[in-house]
Amino acid sequence: MICRFLQESRQIRWRTGRERLSDEKEKGGMDVERTASRFMRYADCASESHREKAFCEYMERELEAMGIPFERQLLGNEVVTDGWNILARVPGDEARKPLLFVFHLDTAAPGSPVKSYVEDGRIQSRDNSVLGADGKLAIAVVLEAVSRLREARETHRPVELLFTVCQELGLHGSRYADYSGIESEEALVIDHYVTGEVLVRTPSRLRIGVELIGRSAHVIRNEEPGINGLKAAVEIISQIPTGRINENLTINVYDLVALSPSNVVPKYARFDVEIRCFGGDVQEEIRRKIHRTVEETARRLGCKYNCREEEDVPEADFGENTDMLRRLEAVYEKTGIPMVKARSFGVLDATWTQRLGIRTVPIGFNIYHSHSAREYVVAEDVATMLQLTENIIRYF
């Protein structure tokens, strides 16, 4: 089997800090090891974007074992995946409206296989694979919180759980999800990397695809010189600033492609630009600059060019949900965590739930070096995350 259900009794070898973890359990009654074990089981079931089927099946078995009803949401051709979305419902106090949690099932590559382990108080992955805490840590903590509240027979707000696919590569699962059966009017999306921070704004994302068409020629025939499309592409790229440009703008250049035999001037080249920014005026200014750079450079070098663009993620303002933020702050205070309002250049499923009329606030859990093989979670942090989540379900 691609992934197998590991037994709940899986032993985690805490090589350091075991006494501190035991203290956390005694003080707060929180089974840190059980939560961490749940997360590691999830992490070990590989689910890179587009290949989420095994983890979809795993989560359905998990929900069934917990006695939580769920339904499978198959997706159309707009989403390239072997998996599906899942919508689950946890009953609660019928006098209160349900709260929606949104998670993504996919993880960044390379993420297959994942072999999680604990060392020096850190949960991490062996070899060169991404641990997958971005996505799976939130799932593990929320399901553990739900499990504990149900075991204690505590009254709490009803909860809806939407698990999506293909988030990492464009929020596709949430964009094309079926929301018709969702009763929640409010949602939380745990997809930020700092416990205590809640996001009030996330950026738009504009993608520009640039094609350069020159003229091929044999490199030793001077009577018909070629026009090097690759050289034109490289010269254009060298003029585009990249990285964090300022507090409102990031630019990334990627996927430069130019295939040609070694003895032929490459006629064709293409590359893509991703722009994440706050403010439509900022986006328009950098968009015009890139188009002008392409046009002027291509003309000077004798190339034809094409530019195609798509804003696949709009900017989102979660700060307008003032009453939600006020109630959240009270829960954070009850948990003993200062709540900090922040912005992030990340693009989140929260954009689509907010846009579709479900008022949403994204919140964070501590994850270090996310999206890299160095990604890790500090085991001690799990206790705080679990307590915060339980309090959100109880009191928010």
Side-chain angles (χ1 to χ4, degrees):
M1 296 176 62
I2 298 176
C3 74
R4 59 191 177 87
F5 231 79
L6 302 179
Q7 296 180 351
E8 281 290 336
S9 60
R10 172 178 179 172
Q11 297 300 309
I12 301 175
R13 298 179 180 177
W14 305 103
R15 300 181 185 176
T16 64
R18 179 141 194 149
E19 294 79 14
R20 291 194 301 272
L21 294 176
S22 297
D23 289 342
E24 287 292 342
K25 291 200 306 182
E26 292 174 5
K27 286 187 294 183
M30 293 176 289
D31 191 344
V32 177
E33 290 193 22
R34 195 173 87 167
T35 310
S37 178
R38 181 189 293 271
F39 164 58
M40 293 172 73
R41 289 190 287 111
Y42 295 173
D44 288 350
C45 185
S47 58
E48 290 181 352
S49 301
H50 303 314
R51 295 184 291 173
E52 300 98 337
K53 179 180 179 181
F55 193 47
C56 290
E57 294 174 336
Y58 189 104
M59 290 311 304
E60 289 182 341
R61 292 196 297 270
E62 188 87 326
L63 293 167
E64 185 174 13
M66 294 175 66
I68 297 175
F70 65 88
E71 60 189 54
R72 183 182 291 189
Q73 290 189 355
L74 300 179
L75 296 156
N77 295 333
E78 301 90 349
V79 185
V80 180
T81 178
D82 62 1
W84 47 86
N85 290 348
I86 300 170
L87 176 62
R89 298 178 178 85
V90 182
D93 182 354
E94 294 183 358
R96 302 177 66 189
K97 294 181 179 179
L99 172 66
L100 174 67
F101 284 94
V102 184
F103 317 96
H104 61 92
L105 298 164
D106 60 318
T107 59
S112 181
V114 176
K115 299 177 181 177
S116 61
Y117 69 104
V118 180
E119 186 172 35
D120 296 330
R122 297 178 176 181
I123 306 172
Q124 49 203 326
S125 178
R126 298 191 187 280
D127 305 321
N128 192 41
S129 61
V130 177
L131 177 63
D134 180 359
K136 293 181 177 177
L137 178 62
I139 297 173
V141 172
V142 172
L143 287 186
E144 185 62 30
V146 166
S147 179
R148 288 170 51 79
L149 292 171
R150 285 159 63 89
E151 288 169 4
R153 300 184 182 278
E154 285 196 43
T155 301
H156 59 78
R157 185 173 180 174
V159 172
E160 294 182 306
L161 310 168
L162 178 62
F163 304 84
T164 70
V165 294
C166 290
Q167 186 272 352
E168 295 289 0
L169 299 183
L171 315 182
H172 296 154
S174 61
R175 182 173 184 174
Y176 296 104
D178 180 1
Y179 294 91
S180 62
I182 292 176
E183 298 178 4
S184 299
E185 297 175 358
E186 298 177 341
L188 296 180
V189 177
I190 308 171
D191 199 8
H192 180 55
Y193 309 138
V194 182
T195 303
E197 288 191 353
V198 302
L199 300 183
V200 293
R201 286 183 75 188
T202 54
S204 63
R205 180 169 68 182
L206 174 68
R207 289 173 168 172
I208 301 177
V210 180
E211 296 179 293
L212 285 306
I213 304 98
R215 183 172 62 239
S216 62
H218 197 288
V219 294
I220 64 172
R221 294 182 62 186
N222 292 328
E223 67 271 20
E224 188 183 341
I227 299 175
N228 194 314
L230 174 57
K231 184 177 180 180
V234 170
E235 185 164 335
I236 292 167
I237 290 171
S238 71
Q239 299 175 69
I240 299 175
T242 57
R244 180 71 61 87
I245 310 304
N246 55 50
E247 64 179 5
N248 292 316
L249 176 64
T250 69
I251 303 175
N252 188 42
V253 175
Y254 63 104
D255 283 355
L256 171 63
V257 177
L259 302 177
S260 176
S262 64
N263 62 344
V264 175
V265 174
K267 171 184 177 180
Y268 176 85
R270 66 169 306 279
F271 64 91
D272 294 303
V273 183
E274 182 197 76
I275 301 166
R276 299 189 187 198
C277 66
F278 296 98
D281 55 336
V282 176
Q283 183 190 93
E284 183 59 23
E285 181 181 0
I286 193 63
R287 174 188 167 277
R288 287 181 177 178
K289 285 182 177 179
I290 290 174
H291 277 270
R292 186 166 58 249
T293 299
V294 172
E295 180 182 2
E296 292 175 353
T297 306
R299 183 186 299 117
R300 175 165 50 81
L301 297 177
C303 282
K304 297 178 182 179
Y305 71 92
N306 291 311
C307 288
R308 52 176 176 77
E309 59 182 55
E310 176 192 15
E311 185 187 76
D312 64 335
V313 180
E315 185 173 350
D317 179 7
F318 307 105
E320 63 188 25
N321 300 320
T322 53
D323 63 315
M324 289 183 68
L325 291 168
R326 185 174 61 253
R327 286 183 282 122
L328 264 179
E329 188 166 23
V331 174
Y332 275 80
E333 184 177 353
K334 184 183 289 288
T335 312
I337 304 172
M339 191 185 91
V340 178
K341 297 177 184 178
R343 297 191 316 176
S344 169
F345 276 101
V347 293
L348 313 175
D349 285 340
T351 297
W352 293 114
T353 51
Q354 173 87 351
R355 197 171 180 83
L356 291 168
I358 302 174
R359 298 188 309 135
T360 305
V361 175
I363 68 175
F365 281 170
N366 285 351
I367 301 173
Y368 300 89
H369 300 298
S370 182
H371 280 216
S372 77
R374 297 183 297 151
E375 182 177 277
Y376 69 88
V377 174
V378 175
E380 280 190 351
D381 290 347
V382 173
T384 302
M385 299 172 193
L386 184 59
Q387 184 182 18
L388 174 63
T389 304
E390 289 183 0
N391 283 341
I392 286 173
I393 297 173
R394 286 188 186 107
Y395 306 120
F396 178 63

